Amino acid sequence: MAFDYDLFVIGAGSGGVRASRISSSMGAKVAIAEEFRVGGTCVIRGCVPKKLFVYASHFAEDFEDAENYGWTVPKAKHDWKTLIRNKDTEIDRLNGIYHTILSNNNVELYESRATILDKNTVQVGDKTVTAKYILIATGGTPTMPDVPGIEHAISSNEVFHLDEMPKRVVVVGGGYIAVEFAGIFNGLGADVIQLYRGEQILRGFDHHVQAMVAQEITKKGVDLRTHANPAKIEKTADGLAITLEDGSVIEADAIMYATGRRPNTEGLGLEAVGVETSLNGAVVVDAFSKTTVDSIYAVGDVTDRIALTPVAIHEGMAFAETVFGGKPRAFDHSNVPSAVFSQPPVGSVGLTELEARLQFGEVDIYKSEFRPMKQTLTQGSERAMVKLIVDRATDRVLGVHIVGADAGEIIQGIGIAVKCGATKEQFDATVGVHPTLAEEIVTMREKYTGD
Ligand code: NDP
């Protein structure tokens, strides 16, 4: 049977665009559908604008530190509208680049919503098209709990478009997005209260990272409240009020929920065609990203494996090589490095101490906590931490966790060593770069014996 396309991709985010481009370069005739803006969450309302906001917010501290290095800095003032305007210009530029990538690679773009009609047919706008393969790359969307008044709260979708910079901000959640935005608003001068329902933020991270980030963001001014559960949100004469289950009331100009994301599978037609989804709506896939229907694949956040852009890109490339390159490849999801752009940031790769103890039994811990050199001339009290987890039997480094300036940059290189299975002896044989925070990674000799 002749199809209109070899591949029809639904969703032009990081995973979908990469998969379509590589498939096309391998000779496939490819089309892609996008109902919002080409680029996906990361580019349009995620990683990229978030990182720009992190840069913006960090200047406050830099201005303060500058004085101790001899600079006279006039009282700095921040203009929110300028930040939003410049950020929008940059996002428009990147959006344009994504359009160019698609057209330069002969990928036909349908700017409308697509739904799957059968295993080779897609409805896109008012057209019906057929494809030998369909790739679902629809990403995820923020979820908010069903709290009375939740319609007054914003998510990470709206936060990039606020008309005014809120002066009093409540951030609900304790994950990546909550911690990052608590730091952003705090740096930009807002009074920030972060509410987390559990005992310790950044669940799933190494426990020393969790404690260190909680300590450092609190020192910088974020009012972090744990075991805090919102009961309702109301509009007031001069803003919003959030009432907690313990009866306390907090007034705010903006309440941001960062309580997780769910896969975008609603209304895609998956059930009718036989594509299995999990309880939270994620598309179930095998190691090659194939769904329960042979001609339909899925990559990225919609599969709820590891919700990170570079992972979606790798999954997209592995898909293309498997289906159109004649080289079946399952992407290896182990030892994926990642960063949290909290202030200070986190860089992590490999196992947490708890995971390592469960999987390997006997592990050795190396941990160094210190005052970064830059702080020696400033009034700042920020501390940094580097931690290594080593398998005692093989000497292999199982996990590396960093909290401190540029942790995200540092962990990229360390990620290569951990992916290659480097041993502690090999780390030790590596000469440190002096004076840097990163040199601690190769200079720790004493085992840590604390909790
Ligand atoms: P996360 O899953 O990381 O965190 C969600 C947070 O909300 C958790 O603290 C969770 O608590 C809490 N929560 C969940 N439900 C409720 C509820 N009903 N009431 C109160 N609190 C609740 O999600 P994020 O939205 O922060 O981020 C989504 C994903 O996006 C991340 O997992 C990450 O993969 C990706 N991301 C990556 C970034 C990066 O690489 N720097 C940046 C931003 C996002 P609990 O711990 O108790 O479950």
Side-chain angles (χ1 to χ4, degrees):
M1 177 180 169
F3 296 105
D4 297 326
Y5 300 101
D6 297 311
L7 173 66
F8 194 95
V9 181
I10 308 178
S14 306
V17 168
R18 182 60 66 95
S20 59
R21 168 162 88 77
I22 303 291
S23 301
S24 176
S25 75
M26 289 170 169
K29 185 179 180 205
V30 185
I32 193 165
E34 172 57 55
E35 64 176 335
F36 183 52
R37 293 184 77 185
V38 172
T41 300
C42 180
V43 172
I44 306 295
R45 48 191 180 193
C47 336
V48 173
K50 179 276 308 289
K51 185 92 186 269
L52 296 174
F53 277 23
V54 171
Y55 284 132
S57 67
H58 204 272
F59 277 102
E61 209 171 290
D62 297 335
F63 291 136
E64 268 178 36
D65 290 349
E67 300 207 344
N68 291 293
Y69 280 92
W71 292 96
T72 302
V73 183
K75 189 161 168 37
K77 217 171 123 258
H78 184 257
D79 183 47
W80 174 258
K81 285 191 162 57
T82 302
L83 172 63
I84 297 290
R85 190 177 58 244
N86 290 346
K87 178 266 298 174
D88 285 343
T89 305
E90 174 59 6
I91 302 308
D92 288 346
R93 186 182 74 85
L94 293 174
N95 177 240
I97 288 176
Y98 269 76
H99 274 275
T100 310
I101 289 173
L102 292 176
S103 59
N104 284 355
N105 286 280
N106 303 317
V107 177
E108 200 175 325
L109 172 64
Y110 289 86
E111 291 183 274
S112 46
R113 184 173 171 78
T115 47
I116 300 174
L117 298 180
D118 69 37
K119 66 186 181 55
N120 298 108
T121 312
V122 172
Q123 172 84 40
V124 55
D126 54 9
K127 274 184 127 179
T128 302
V129 296
T130 58
K132 188 168 182 206
Y133 293 99
I134 296 168
L135 179 69
I136 304 164
T138 47
T141 196
T143 46
M144 292 197 195
D146 198 8
V147 172
I150 194 74
E151 66 278 9
H152 302 307
I154 57 167
S155 71
S156 56
N157 282 352
E158 293 78 38
V159 73
F160 296 112
H161 302 286
L162 297 177
D163 289 337
E164 304 286 336
M165 153 79 191
K167 299 281 179 294
R168 301 165 300 171
V169 180
V170 170
V171 178
V172 182
Y176 281 79
I177 299 179
V179 170
E180 293 179 341
F181 273 91
I184 287 168
F185 283 118
N186 183 53
L188 290 176
D191 291 329
V192 179
I193 298 176
Q194 184 179 350
L195 305 175
Y196 177 53
R197 64 180 177 182
E199 173 72 28
Q200 187 61 284
I201 55 168
L202 291 179
R203 188 162 60 83
F205 281 79
D206 186 88
H207 67 281
H208 284 119
V209 169
Q210 294 178 309
M212 187 82 181
V213 172
Q215 169 191 302
E216 294 302 308
I217 66 173
T218 304
K219 279 193 331 209
K220 284 180 196 281
V222 174
D223 180 353
L224 176 60
R225 302 186 190 177
T226 53
H227 302 293
N229 291 299
K232 65 174 174 182
I233 300 169
E234 290 162 308
K235 251 189 160 14
T236 62
D238 68 339
L240 298 169
I242 181 164
T243 306
L244 306 190
E245 279 176 0
D246 66 7
S248 56
V249 179
I250 304 164
E251 302 208 333
D253 301 311
I255 298 172
M256 176 177 176
Y257 268 70
T259 45
R261 297 173 61 84
R262 71 178 151 75
N264 257 334
T265 47
E266 252 175 57
L268 265 184
L270 301 184
E271 207 178 316
V273 73
V275 170
E276 192 183 325
T277 53
S278 63
L279 276 181
N280 71 345
V283 178
V284 175
V285 288
D286 67 11
F288 296 93
S289 295
K290 186 159 81 173
T291 72
T292 44
V293 174
D294 275 353
S295 57
I296 304 180
Y297 286 68
V299 295
D301 289 7
V302 76
T303 62
D304 196 23
R305 287 177 282 184
I306 301 178
L308 296 173
T309 286
V311 170
I313 289 172
H314 270 274
E315 289 169 356
M317 290 195 293
F319 156 80
E321 287 164 30
T322 300
V323 174
F324 297 108
K327 280 196 212 133
R329 180 164 77 85
F331 170 65
D332 170 15
H333 288 83
S334 67
N335 291 322
V336 169
S338 74
V340 185
F341 295 98
S342 47
Q343 299 183 38
V346 177
S348 273
V349 64
L351 303 180
T352 66
E353 182 179 337
L354 182 65
E355 288 167 343
R357 287 195 189 283
L358 288 172
Q359 288 179 38
F360 289 82
E362 305 265 40
V363 295
D364 290 322
I365 307 300
Y366 296 83
K367 184 166 94 71
S368 172
E369 229 188 273
F370 52 96
R371 190 180 184 204
M373 188 178 175
K374 188 179 176 193
Q375 302 290 334
T376 55
L377 294 198
T378 72
Q379 308 300 320
S381 59
E382 183 176 305
R383 293 184 67 77
M385 185 200 76
V386 172
K387 178 173 176 181
L388 254 60
I389 298 149
V390 180
D391 177 22
R392 195 172 294 167
T394 61
D395 198 41
R396 191 155 70 88
V397 177
L398 302 173
V400 179
H401 306 277
I402 305 167
V403 180
D406 300 323
E409 303 289 343
I410 298 166
I411 206 69
Q412 182 66 82
I414 301 301
I416 302 172
V418 173
K419 190 84 187 165
C420 292
T423 61
K424 177 70 166 65
E425 193 183 356
Q426 290 169 321
F427 271 56
D428 291 349
T430 305
V431 175
V433 177
H434 188 70
T436 64
L437 184 156
E439 69 183 309
E440 291 293 319
I441 296 162
V442 295
T443 53
M444 291 186 290
R445 298 291 184 271
E446 294 286 312
K447 288 177 192 167
Y448 173 75
T449 52
D451 286 342

